[in-house]
Amino acid sequence: MSGVSVTKGAEDAVPATGDLVVLSNVNKHFGALHVLQDIDLTIARGEVVVVIGPSGSGKSTLCRTINRLESIDSGAITIDGKPLPEEGRELARLRADVGMVFQSFNLFAHKTVLENVTLGQIKVRKTDKANAEEKARALLDRVGVGSQADKYPAQLSGGQQQRVAIARALAMGPKVMLFDEPTSALDPEMINEVLEVMQQLARDGMTMVVVTHEMGFARSAANRVVFMADGRIVEQATPDEFFSNPRSDRAKDFLSKILHH
Amino acid sequence: MFEFLDSGQYDLLGAFWVTVQLTLYSAVGSLLWGTLLAGMRVSPVPLMRAFGTAYVNLVRNTPLTVVLVACSLGLGQTLQITLGGGDFESIGFRLAVLGLIAYTSTFVCEALRSGINTVPVGQAEAARALGLSFFQVLRLIVLPQAFRSVVAPLANVLIALTKNTTVAAAIGVAEASALMKTMIENESSALFAVFAVFAFGFVVLTLPTGLLLGWVSKRVAVKR
C-alpha cells in the first residue's frame, strides 16, 4: 500500500517537485490500542491529500504525528528531507514550518484576532511588529475577516474563528498545512466559508493534509484520497477513482453509509 | 476608652506601616517564586517537577512560626546569613520577608497550578504548533490565562499573608501585633479597646484588597 503514485488531475496548476512529508512504517499505541499500524505515506510538494475514514480509525492521530503533537512508537517521519526531531528547539523550529488547524480552532483566548496572527511571526520568526501586523492584516483580509482584527476570539462566530486560525497558521509561511477536522465543530451554514478558504489555498499550490468528513471537499480539492480504518491505510486513490470505484470492502461499506441518504 | 491612643506613647501608624511593608515585599516575592514553582511543577523535566512537588509539600505543611524562627535563629544567628547586614531590626525584617515568601509562595504555586488546569489543552497545543518553546508557551499563553482565572484565590492568599505577617513578631519585628502585645501589657484596663483597634486596623488593610481584587477578577476573566 506504500508509495502509491497517483497521477494528478489536469486542473492542478502546481506540479509536484519531490516528497515533502514522508512517513515510513509508523506505529503508535494508546495503551493496548494499536492506533497507527505500519503507516507508510508520502506527500509530494504541492499535493493535497485528504484523509477520510470512520471515527477511531486513527486519522486525527496520523495528522498530529506529522508535527509531533503525538509521539510515535516506531518508524520514521521526515519533513522536507529532515527527520522529525525528538524535543526541544529543533522540534520547535520544525513545527514553525508546519501549519496546523484544529477542530476546536484553539485561538488564544486572551489575545485579539490580530495578536493571534502576529504572535508566531514576532516570537518565532522574529519579524518586527509593524511588518507582522501588515502581513497579519493582509492574511485576515484574504480569509475574509479583516474587519474583525481587533476583536477577541469569543466575539467571533465559529466559521470566523476557524478562518482566523487558518490565517494564524499561514502567517508562519508554512511548507505544509495540516487540517485536523477543521469543519467538524462548525454549524452547517459556516462550513462552506471555511472550505472555500481551504479550496483557494489548494488552488494556490499549498501542500495540505486534510482530515475531514467533507466528501465534497475531498472530491473537488484533493489530489489523493487516503482511506483509513482501524489504524491502517486501507486504500489510496484519486478522488474520482475512490468515490466511483472503491476497491476495498471496508471503503465500499464506509461510502455506502455516508453517501446514501 | 480609647484615651491610650492620644497619649503619644504608641506609634500605631508606624507599626501598621511595618505590617504593610512586610505584606507588600512578601506578596511580590511570593508571586515571583510561586510562579517559578508552578512552572517547575508543570515542566516536562522530571527533576524540576520533583523539586517543585517536594518543596511545596514540605513548606506548605510546616507551621509558619517554625519557618520564621528557622529563618531568624537558623539562617540569621547560626549561619550568619543577614541578607545585607545592618541593625538587628532590619535583619529581622528581611529574614521575616524571606520566611513569608518561602511559605506563601507554596499557596501561590498551588492556586496558579489550579489555574493552569483551567486553560484548555488546545491552547498550549496551538502555541506549540506555531513553534513556540516550552517557556514561551508558558509565559505567553498558559500563565496569562491561568493568572486571570485565579485572581480571586490569589486575593485569599494575599489576605492570609497580611494576617500572617503578625507571626513576624515572634522574631522581633516591630509590626502591628508586636505593638499590640506591648499595649496589652500597659493598658490592661482597656483590653478590648486594644483588640478592637488592631482588628479594625487589619480589616482596613484586607477588606479593600478583597473588594478590589474581586472586581479585577471579573474584569480580566478570559471569555471562551
Side-chain angles (χ1 to χ4, degrees):
Chain A
M1 198 47 68
S2 67
V4 175
S5 70
V6 177
T7 335
K8 299 176 79 181
E11 72 277 9
D12 299 310
V14 178
T17 53
D19 300 334
L20 190 56
V21 180
V22 180
L23 289 84
S24 46
N25 206 19
V26 168
N27 279 281
K28 179 174 179 66
H29 299 257
F30 282 133
L33 185 67
H34 197 168
V35 66
L36 293 179
Q37 306 185 23
D38 303 322
I39 300 289
D40 287 303
L41 182 66
T42 302
I43 294 148
R45 211 175 292 276
E47 195 180 16
V48 177
V49 172
V50 168
V51 184
I52 61 175
S55 350
S57 58
K59 51 194 195 304
S60 275
T61 309
L62 174 72
C63 188
R64 290 163 57 87
T65 58
I66 297 176
N67 65 354
R68 215 170 191 284
L69 283 181
E70 299 285 355
S71 59
I72 56 175
D73 298 339
S74 66
I77 300 177
T78 63
I79 292 179
D80 212 2
K82 277 174 269 175
L84 212 51
E86 285 281 299
E87 272 302 333
R89 205 159 288 159
E90 287 293 306
L91 179 62
R93 199 168 301 149
L94 178 129
R95 277 174 174 156
D97 289 337
V98 179
M100 177 127 194
V101 176
F102 300 84
Q103 179 176 351
S104 49
F105 329 134
N106 296 348
L107 293 178
F108 305 130
H110 63 306
K111 296 201 173 285
T112 63
V113 164
L114 188 68
E115 288 167 344
N116 264 275
V117 186
T118 55
L119 182 82
Q121 298 184 68
I122 293 170
K123 298 295 177 184
V124 179
R125 296 285 188 225
K126 311 292 180 197
T127 313
D128 65 78
K129 193 164 177 248
N131 284 331
E133 286 191 357
E134 193 186 324
K135 187 174 183 184
R137 287 190 192 279
L139 282 167
L140 289 171
D141 282 338
R142 182 169 151 195
V143 299
V145 286
S147 58
Q148 317 289 332
D150 298 316
K151 291 190 181 168
Y152 284 88
Q155 295 170 289
L156 270 55
S157 74
Q160 289 172 326
Q161 288 191 50
Q162 194 61 299
R163 285 182 283 154
V164 173
I166 294 173
R168 176 176 68 180
L170 289 175
M172 304 299 289
K175 292 173 179 166
V176 53
M177 288 278 286
L178 310 175
F179 293 83
D180 185 6
E181 302 202 26
T183 57
S184 298
L186 294 175
D187 291 341
E189 76 264 33
M190 292 169 186
I191 289 176
N192 278 334
E193 64 190 50
V194 172
L195 290 182
E196 273 161 27
V197 170
M198 289 168 61
Q199 246 148 359
Q200 184 58 50
L201 210 53
R203 280 197 293 274
D204 292 347
M206 176 60 77
T207 309
M208 294 163 67
V209 178
V210 185
V211 175
T212 188
H213 295 292
E214 295 298 325
M215 298 304 146
F217 177 81
R219 267 183 205 280
S220 61
N223 301 122
R224 177 159 44 127
V225 172
V226 171
F227 176 72
M228 282 187 77
D230 306 320
R232 291 178 187 280
I233 293 179
V234 177
E235 190 170 338
Q236 40 186 330
T238 60
D240 277 352
E241 213 175 287
F242 178 77
F243 287 110
S244 57
N245 189 20
R247 292 189 301 267
S248 62
D249 291 340
R250 196 72 184 76
K252 281 175 193 161
D253 179 53
F254 177 74
L255 287 174
S256 73
K257 278 175 184 150
I258 60 164
L259 295 179
H260 295 273
H261 60 96
Chain B
M1 193 181 173
F2 291 98
E3 304 79 32
F4 58 88
L5 289 177
D6 301 325
S7 65
Q9 194 183 344
Y10 307 110
D11 184 10
L12 194 63
L13 286 179
F16 268 107
W17 177 234
V18 175
T19 296
V20 169
Q21 284 178 303
L22 275 175
T23 307
L24 288 180
Y25 286 121
S26 308
V28 172
S30 31
L31 203 59
L32 293 174
W33 180 225
T35 307
L36 277 173
L37 284 172
M40 288 184 205
R41 292 207 69 175
V42 299
S43 100
V45 184
L47 192 67
M48 290 177 96
R49 275 206 305 277
F51 172 80
T53 309
Y55 178 92
V56 166
N57 282 311
L58 188 70
V59 178
R60 184 175 58 167
N61 294 309
T62 307
L64 179 57
T65 317
V66 175
V67 174
L68 286 187
V69 170
C71 281
S72 173
L73 298 182
L75 292 182
Q77 296 190 10
T78 309
L79 298 174
Q80 294 297 318
I81 297 168
T82 56
L83 306 175
D87 55 5
F88 177 78
E89 182 76 356
S90 54
I91 293 173
F93 180 84
R94 286 194 296 264
L95 287 170
V97 169
L98 180 72
L100 285 165
I101 289 173
Y103 180 80
T104 312
S105 59
T106 62
F107 295 93
V108 171
C109 166
E110 291 304 276
L112 203 48
R113 207 160 62 93
S114 75
I116 289 173
N117 289 334
T118 69
V119 180
V121 66
Q123 295 282 309
E125 280 186 349
R128 281 156 66 204
L130 283 181
L132 296 172
S133 67
F134 170 79
F135 289 104
Q136 286 179 316
V137 174
L138 201 62
R139 188 165 57 83
L140 300 169
I141 306 300
V142 177
L143 282 180
Q145 295 188 46
F147 267 114
R148 285 155 188 255
S149 67
V150 295
V151 173
L154 285 179
N156 279 339
V157 174
L158 183 57
I159 288 169
L161 168 65
T162 310
K163 296 184 289 179
N164 281 344
T165 58
T166 54
V167 180
I171 62 170
V173 179
E175 46 69 69
S177 77
L179 180 64
M180 183 178 79
K181 194 163 163 258
T182 314
M183 285 167 75
I184 288 170
E185 281 163 11
N186 297 346
E187 314 288 340
S188 49
S189 58
L191 195 58
F192 285 99
V194 172
F195 287 149
V197 164
F198 283 93
F200 179 73
F202 275 95
V203 169
V204 165
L205 290 182
T206 53
L207 199 63
T209 309
L211 291 175
L212 176 71
L213 289 179
W215 176 77
V216 170
S217 156
K218 286 201 190 78
R219 264 195 71 96
V220 300
V222 179
K223 290 171 191 68
R224 298 195 191 281

